[in-house]
Amino acid sequence: MRNTEKRHSPESEIHSLQPRGFTLVELLVVILVLGVVLSFVIPKLGEIGEANLKRSARHLTGVIRFLKDDAQAKKAVYRLRFDIQGGHYWPEVLALTGSNTMEFRRYHTVMAGEDSLSGSTTFKDVRVAGHPEDPYILFTPDGWVERAAIHLRDGSNKDFTLWVNSLTGATELREGYEEER
């Protein structure tokens, strides 16, 4: 019978107890992999603010379309009011309050209610020709929507303009702060 046990010398046991470090090649590979990963991640960080801005613009577009369609369907007058400093917006409906008086009251449905901009997106201003100092957009029962420029700013201080078309209620998001043409 053969003895299959391995024999260890005292020197090999001492050598195996010493901690083994990383080689220069292993460290370079790790640094290279981290560099490649960061080269993909860092540009995406700037897009987070723009994603919030686009999310806000899409939601505003949906609310504008809903109010236009609802005004026509219910033969009612609506307006979309803006709180510029707070970053909030909400719909209002013109309601009869007395025998001969009407006033705008907050309107809340599943499709439209008080909401705010996403992330670090803010309103710079809302420009409507008929009432430049009062930020709201009017919707009438015949399908007309006030032409408006909603100026938004993303988290990296880039300005965007959300144009509202008065005939169709459609919106268009453009980069930069644009004034009425």
Side-chain angles (χ1 to χ4, degrees):
M1 289 215 171
R2 275 176 60 184
N3 188 354
T4 57
E5 289 184 29
K6 289 188 178 181
R7 296 190 184 248
H8 296 287
S9 69
E11 294 168 355
S12 68
E13 287 185 26
I14 291 172
H15 187 66
S16 66
L17 294 177
Q18 292 178 349
R20 183 172 174 257
F22 293 106
T23 65
L24 184 58
V25 172
E26 290 170 331
L27 289 174
L28 288 175
V29 168
V30 169
I31 291 171
L32 180 68
V33 168
L34 285 174
V36 169
V37 168
L38 287 176
S39 71
F40 288 110
V41 171
I42 289 175
K44 297 290 181 196
L45 292 177
E47 293 176 10
I48 291 172
E50 192 170 317
N52 284 328
L53 176 114
K54 288 181 180 177
R55 184 179 306 113
S56 296
R58 278 193 308 270
H59 192 268
L60 277 166
T61 296
V63 170
I64 290 167
R65 286 183 185 157
F66 171 77
L67 290 175
K68 178 192 180 298
D69 293 343
D70 212 41
Q72 283 183 288
K74 294 183 179 175
K75 301 297 181 205
V77 176
Y78 292 98
R79 69 181 178 187
L80 183 59
R81 169 128 346 247
F82 298 90
D83 172 9
I84 304 298
Q85 287 75 30
H88 299 282
Y89 52 95
W90 61 91
E92 297 176 335
V93 62
L94 188 61
L96 190 62
T97 57
S99 60
N100 290 331
T101 59
M102 299 183 88
E103 69 180 35
F104 279 98
R105 293 192 174 165
R106 287 205 181 201
Y107 180 66
H108 185 78
T109 68
V110 175
M111 294 299 294
E114 183 170 351
D115 211 339
S116 58
L117 299 172
S118 297
S120 57
T121 304
T122 59
F123 288 115
K124 190 163 182 182
D125 59 41
V126 176
R127 297 283 182 210
V128 181
H131 43 89
E133 300 303 316
D134 198 4
Y136 69 84
I137 301 170
L138 193 67
F139 302 82
T140 62
D142 61 358
W144 180 78
V145 178
E146 280 187 297
R147 178 160 173 79
I150 303 170
H151 295 111
L152 303 168
R153 179 169 277 177
D154 71 2
S156 59
N157 287 332
K158 286 175 55 180
D159 291 331
F160 292 82
T161 303
L162 183 67
W163 286 105
V164 179
N165 184 302
S166 60
L167 295 176
T168 63
T171 60
E172 181 182 356
L173 183 64
R174 294 188 185 168
E175 192 168 339
Y177 187 98
E178 294 184 3
E179 293 288 337
E180 183 68 36
R181 307 178 280 254

